[in-house]
Amino acid sequence: MKFLSENRWMRRIAMAVMDVMLLIVSVYASMELRFEMFIPVHHMQTMLRALPMVVAVYMACYVVGGIYKIMWRYAGVRDIARLCVLSAIGCGVTLAFNQFMSLGLFRSVLLLVPILSVIAIGGSRMLWRVFSKDRISGDLGDAMPVMVVGAGEAGAYAVNICNKNPRRMGKPVLLVDDARNKQGLRIQNVPVRGTTKDIPKLVSRYGIREIIVAIPSLGTGSRMQEILELCNESHCHTRIFSEPTDTDTAGNESIPFIRELNISDFLSRDEVELDMDSIAGYLSGKTVLVTGGGGSIGSELCRQIMRFKPKLLIIFEIYENCAYELEYDLRQRYGRDCPVTTLIGSIRDKKRLDEVFEEYHPEVVFHAAAHKHVPLMERSPAEAIKNNVFGTRNLLESASTHGVERLVQLSTDKAVNPTNVMGATKRITEMLIQRYGEKTNMKCMAVRFGNVLGSHGSVIPLMENQIRTGGPVTVTHPDITRYFMTIPEAAQLVLQAGGIAKSGSIFVLDMGEPVRIMDLAQKLIRAYGYEPNVDMPIKIIGLRPGEKLYEELLMDSERDKMTRTMHKKIFVANVDKVDDAQFDHMMAELESVVDKNDERAVEAIADVVPTYHPWKKKDEAAV
């Protein structure tokens, strides 16, 4: 059986042999219906002599008509209609032979043969279909021509969805698949024409305007990227099949869907391998608090934490709308009674923090709350100091006072040799983590990583909006590069780093290779079906205040001392220690300028962070 399923020619031969047998049975059944209980011997002999001719005619019609190129497991109404039409043609040919060759066959018998053959052959196919639990699709309509990449379950689903709503989803014209045994077959009358390498050629030959990638088994690895690059080269609008990834408490899966391709699909890497036991060891059954829980990373952290069944998840957020939406989403996923509570408050408010810690006694804290927008913090440096620096200090003091076991601070690559206020204030928070990790019983750690795809205020959503509104797509500099990571990958690695019991450490995530923003813009434009600088212009606008051409994950003093952890994507940056008395003095100076949104705030930050090289006004003017 396995050999037949993998060899298309053997499978077709086996189906043809079965059809021959069913045709013979249909002829005999037709004779039985025509002559009832009594069959004259001479009529029986005549029919037996004509039987090979009748079977040969019908089989020739079926072969020429492409019946054996249909993937019957996914057959639709049109495939059954094709079988009926070909059987009718076979009937007409046998009637013509009987008339002009004077075979002496009863026409009533010949007219019954196609009816019974359709019932027998079509019924056998549909029985297989029923046992395979597949659906019959609706009719196709006139719509934009679509290519489906993948001729498996997902490909059949994509064809079915398009067939049901061709005006919105497009009309499937062909499929491509790398499996040799699927070449030449059909899914709901849509042929498999080639492999993924043939995508650009087939797009040109058949006038394809849209592509649906339906191979969820490839996940997010390098092979998927290769296929998406081929689709991107074809300049077609590309969409992708997404399998359900979440289940509610009743075990009901969400429905798969076909979504727009986004740039994270081009940059996605192999799935993160997590040590689930180590993460569950410090999250399961614990009360966990996430500051900034409504933000991009904070909300994904909350979703990931819920997988490990905490005793209570506290979403601490100053922006009520995001917090409400997240709580609603979690209750939809895990049930209305899932252990989630949302608290509104600011990390700047020490009394509010003490109140929360006193009432709920969280054991684990993830600190994602921060001002992160680089140009805005250049204009309001004191606000970055209040929120990022002293807000973090408030949190550390409250957490250590109320017996928190573990605190994980989310940092950024912009903290390395910073050229902006945001990055410099985040470097100070790393220093605070080091100090509280050494001076208290609380396990403190910071996790440093680069840009997160799709986060609020990031470059990708901005570019997508620019494309939808007709352009131009803006890029600050043709050579600017950034490290990128998807939101789920970042959240998972943050959870993994939190399980490494090394207090006072700064963990650095493996971000892969830096990516040119110009390349991102071009890929994203092509993913929407446009040609860069032809259909969609790209405009260079210059570096914004505080930006630099490239980011770094390690300072020069850290590179030679970096060590590995048990996880291959998490490293430890052994940063230099800061003198306590000197640090306290500098923090006092910093506190004295928290109301000064001018050069005095910037200078105070530079005193604390010696690697900080402030963005100068002359540089801003030059930009």
Side-chain angles (χ1 to χ4, degrees), residues 87-158:
S87 298
I89 293 172
C91 176
V93 173
T94 54
L95 286 171
F97 280 175
N98 185 50
Q99 179 68 28
F100 295 108
M101 298 176 64
S102 301
L103 298 178
L105 304 175
F106 283 91
R107 282 186 296 177
S108 57
V109 173
L110 296 178
L111 288 171
L112 283 171
V113 170
I115 297 173
L116 296 181
S117 64
V118 168
I119 293 173
I121 295 174
S124 66
R125 303 295 201 272
M126 290 303 102
L127 280 174
W128 171 253
R129 178 70 187 274
V130 169
F131 286 119
S132 299
K133 299 180 180 179
D134 287 314
R135 298 179 179 177
I136 297 177
S137 73
D139 292 331
L140 292 174
D142 295 331
M144 190 171 292
V146 172
M147 171 194 292
V148 178
V149 181
E153 296 280 352
Y157 179 89

Side-chain angles (χ1 to χ4, degrees), residues 38-55:
F38 174 73
I39 304 176
V41 175
H42 67 280
H43 287 307
M44 175 67 78
Q45 292 173 343
T46 301
M47 286 300 302
L48 288 175
R49 286 196 299 270
L51 181 61
M53 181 273 293
V54 174
V55 172

